[in-house]
């Protein structure tokens, strides 16, 4: 009976885990797009993208994106449930918008190099990335958007703001990840700008609107000073 009570206690304590059910909506939809959007798509790239060099070393922060997102979710899941809900609402809304855009406006880019100038372990990792990930369904960049989601969650966490090194580390890593998307030819500048725009709009709804409802954001009327 004791173990049943423990399970019930854990279920009550971590009932917000239901949020992760979103993966069962996102993954089938995304994989369907990856399978069907292969040749006929709108090319999203500019002349600026063609001037950006390919730098294979950016594969390191690009792959660290997965650790970055998982670590953020675990932190907020176990320590800050309201922050967890806000970050999940922000991120999953953006991911759903991305799916809708990719469905009604199939998109991709043709920036990836066909021949690599160097041959090293970083290039091998890029080759593996290219094989695993198609060059379609790129707008807006989820690598960029989700990195911004974590930065926004960190910035709005009163507890994390006490730890300057953690905040700085998160912002620097996010910046490197964003740079990696263009230097690895995974995304166009337009994909990056689209992610920033989507993050800005959603920030107004998820974070700013809620802040305005808090008592300390309400302007209190000050009593008028009376002349004696």
């Amino acid at each position: 009976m004791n173990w049943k009570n423990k399970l019930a206690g854990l279920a009550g304590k971590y009932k917000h885990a239901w949020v992760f059910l979103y993966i069962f909506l996102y993954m089938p939809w995304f994989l369907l797009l990856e399978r069907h959007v292969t040749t006929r798509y709108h090319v999203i790239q500019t002349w600026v993208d063609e001037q950006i060099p390919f730098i294979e070393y950016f594969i390191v922060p690009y792959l660290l994106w997965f650790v970055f997102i998982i670590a953020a979710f675990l932190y907020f899941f176990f320590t800050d449930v309201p922050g967890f809900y806000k970050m999940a609402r922000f991120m999953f809304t953006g991911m759903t918008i991305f799916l809708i855009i990719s469905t009604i406006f199939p998109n991709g880019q043709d920036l990836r190099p066909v021949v690599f100038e160097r041959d090293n372990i970083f290039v091998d990792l890029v080759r593996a990335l290219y094989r695993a990930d198609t060059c379609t369904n790129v707008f807006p960049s989820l690598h960029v958007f989700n990195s911004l989601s974590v930065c926004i969650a960190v910035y709005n966490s009163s507890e994390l703001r006490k730890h300057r090194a953690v905040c700085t580390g998160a912002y620097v890593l996010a910046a490197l990840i964003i740079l990696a998307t263009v230097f690895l030819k995974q995304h166009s500048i337009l994909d990056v700008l689209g992610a920033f725009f989507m993050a800005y709009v959603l920030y107004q709804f998820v974070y700013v609107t809620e802040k305005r409802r808090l008592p300390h954001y309400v302007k209190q009327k000050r009593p008028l000073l009376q002349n004696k």
Side-chain angles (χ1 to χ4, degrees), residues 50 60 101 117 143:
E50 297 173 2
V60 176
I101 292 174
E117 296 180 0
H143 249 67

Side-chain angles (χ1 to χ4, degrees), residues 1-64:
M1 193 66 182
N2 189 35
W3 64 270
K4 289 184 178 180
N5 292 335
K6 288 182 178 179
L7 285 177
L10 287 173
K13 184 177 181 181
Y14 300 117
K15 58 185 179 182
H16 49 292
W18 70 267
V19 169
F20 293 120
L21 292 174
Y22 175 75
I23 197 69
F24 294 105
L25 168 67
Y26 177 80
M27 284 309 299
W29 193 346
F30 176 74
L31 292 175
L32 186 66
L33 289 170
E34 287 285 278
R35 192 176 305 117
H36 291 283
V37 182
T38 54
T39 55
R40 300 182 63 183
Y41 54 81
H42 299 84
V43 177
I44 299 182
Q45 60 193 63
T46 68
W47 65 271
V48 176
D49 298 301
E50 297 173 2
Q51 309 307 312
I52 298 174
F54 169 81
I55 303 178
E56 70 269 24
Y57 306 111
F58 274 98
I59 189 65
V60 176
Y62 189 89
L63 295 178
L64 283 176

Side-chain angles (χ1 to χ4, degrees), residues 76 150-158 160-161 167 171 203 211:
F76 284 99
V150 173
C151 288
I152 290 170
V154 169
Y155 177 78
N156 283 274
S157 169
S158 56
L160 283 178
R161 281 206 304 271
C167 294
Y171 302 150
Y203 180 76
K211 283 181 179 180

Side-chain angles (χ1 to χ4, degrees), residues 80-92 153 156 206-207 210-211 214:
D80 182 359
V81 176
F84 169 80
Y85 273 125
K86 279 186 284 190
M87 186 176 76
R89 189 184 317 132
F90 185 93
M91 192 179 293
F92 293 166
N156 283 274
V206 177
Y207 287 92
E210 183 171 317
K211 283 181 179 180
L214 297 177

Side-chain angles (χ1 to χ4, degrees), residues 164-179:
R164 198 171 194 178
V166 174
C167 294
T168 302
Y171 302 150
V172 169
L173 179 55
L176 289 173
I177 291 170
I178 292 169
L179 290 173

